[in-house]
Every structure is written in C-alpha cells, then in structure tokens.
Amino acid sequence: MLILITGGCKNGKSDFAQKVCMELAEKRKKYYLATLHVRDAEDEKRVESHLKSRAEMDFETIEATEKLPALDKPVYLQSLFLLDSLTLLLANRMFLFDGKNFCFEKDSAQELCKEIINFASKVYCLVVVSDFIYSDCLSYTYESECYRSSLAFIEKELVKVCNSYI
C-alpha cells in the first residue's frame, strides 16, 4: 500500500501522516524514515520537535537522508513506513554537499521515483509526505526549477500507483 500526503509547507502534514500510520499499523512495526541532514541548531530543534511529537507512537527511526533502507530484515516486509519527507530526500539527492560546495544532480527524479515505488511494493504500507511547492514564486533559478519539476514528476508518478493520496 502506498499513500501520498502533500500540501503546503509547515501545515501539519507530518502530524496527519503519523495519525494515518497509527490507524493503519494495527500491531505492525512502524518505521519513520528521517530525511533531514542536521546541519545547524535550527535543524536540531526541528528533529527534537518531530521526535517529541511521535514519542508515544512507537516509531523506530531510520536515517534515510539520501536513499531508502535496504529491505534486508524479514520484519520490514510486514511493516509500515513513514517517509518524511520526499521533498527533503529529493533535495538531498539533487543538491549534493561535499562539505564546502554544492553540486547539482539534475536527473535524480526518475531513479528516486522507481526506488519509492519498488520499496512500497515490498512493504505492508509506505506513507510519503511531500510539500506542494508550486504556489509561491513566479521565477526561479534553473536548478530550483529543475527541483520543482522533479518533485512534481515524482508526485504524479506516485499518484498513478497510490492506494490513496491526500
């Protein structure tokens, strides 16, 4: 099962996704796929807030800042996963940081999309949180527009195979 939850930035999608997971999981193991590269105090606060919001929900956190985890444990196949967020995971793959400079990987969307669909087909449920980023600015740099187009591409492809999207 694949569920896509998309909407405006900072509007409660993560909390809503967690509630969806709690309803669907029953007694299954739940994993939170964390995509944020922690780079500063603001990021640390954000992670702390997310951990606090799901403290009593029994999610096990797996760092997935650049790729989805290998499904190498039998328990994974019957488990529920919350990917929060597609927006960050794509950014991490398109805008690589070597410690000093960013490098731009334009063609990351197709590969990531295939990985997500393949992952979802092997587990009980994958809930994906994404940000709707087509409602803010009229003009972007080339790299930003490629990123926005890539995110839109992945969302459209996921919707084609989703059991549900919100």
Side-chain angles (χ1 to χ4, degrees):
M1 182 180 335
L2 176 60
I3 298 171
L4 175 64
I5 298 172
T6 187
C9 297
K10 309 279 188 261
N11 72 351
K13 293 180 306 296
S14 295
D15 291 339
F16 179 75
Q18 290 169 12
K19 288 177 187 174
V20 168
C21 290
M22 296 303 291
E23 291 175 12
L24 292 174
E26 298 170 351
K27 294 183 181 184
R28 290 178 173 82
K29 186 100 173 113
K30 296 180 297 300
Y31 295 94
Y32 182 93
L33 302 176
T35 58
L36 178 65
H37 275 296
V38 177
R39 300 191 198 283
D40 58 24
E42 184 179 332
D43 290 345
E44 288 174 6
K45 285 182 184 178
R46 192 170 169 193
V47 168
E48 203 173 290
S49 172
H50 274 254
L51 287 170
K52 186 177 178 181
S53 75
R54 64 178 189 270
E56 296 180 18
M57 296 182 191
D58 200 30
F59 277 95
E60 182 177 321
T61 300
I62 298 174
E63 296 295 323
T65 56
E66 292 171 18
K67 61 181 182 175
L68 299 176
L71 294 172
D72 54 359
K73 296 180 183 178
V75 68
Y76 286 168
L77 305 180
Q78 297 303 317
S79 298
L80 184 140
F81 290 81
L82 171 54
L83 172 61
D84 193 1
S85 76
L86 171 59
T87 316
L88 277 175
L89 183 57
L90 178 61
N92 294 342
R93 289 177 65 159
M94 286 187 84
F95 304 99
L96 304 172
F97 185 65
D98 67 7
K100 292 184 179 181
N101 300 301
F102 279 98
C103 184
F104 179 61
E105 293 291 330
K106 179 181 182 260
D107 299 321
S108 302
Q110 285 86 0
E111 181 182 328
L112 179 56
C113 186
K114 287 177 189 174
E115 287 176 28
I116 292 169
I117 291 169
N118 183 52
F119 188 91
S121 74
K122 293 180 179 176
V123 300
Y124 166 70
C125 183
L126 174 63
V127 176
V128 178
V129 175
S130 186
D131 291 309
F132 181 74
I133 58 172
Y134 269 92
S135 62
D136 45 8
C137 188
L138 296 177
S139 178
Y140 289 92
T141 64
Y142 171 76
E143 293 83 0
S144 294
E145 190 54 43
C146 286
Y147 172 73
R148 286 167 27 106
S149 299
S150 294
L151 184 61
F153 165 79
I154 294 173
E155 285 190 4
K156 287 179 203 174
E157 293 301 306
L158 292 182
V159 165
K160 291 177 186 177
V161 297
C162 271
N163 298 86
S164 180
Y165 62 95
I166 302 162

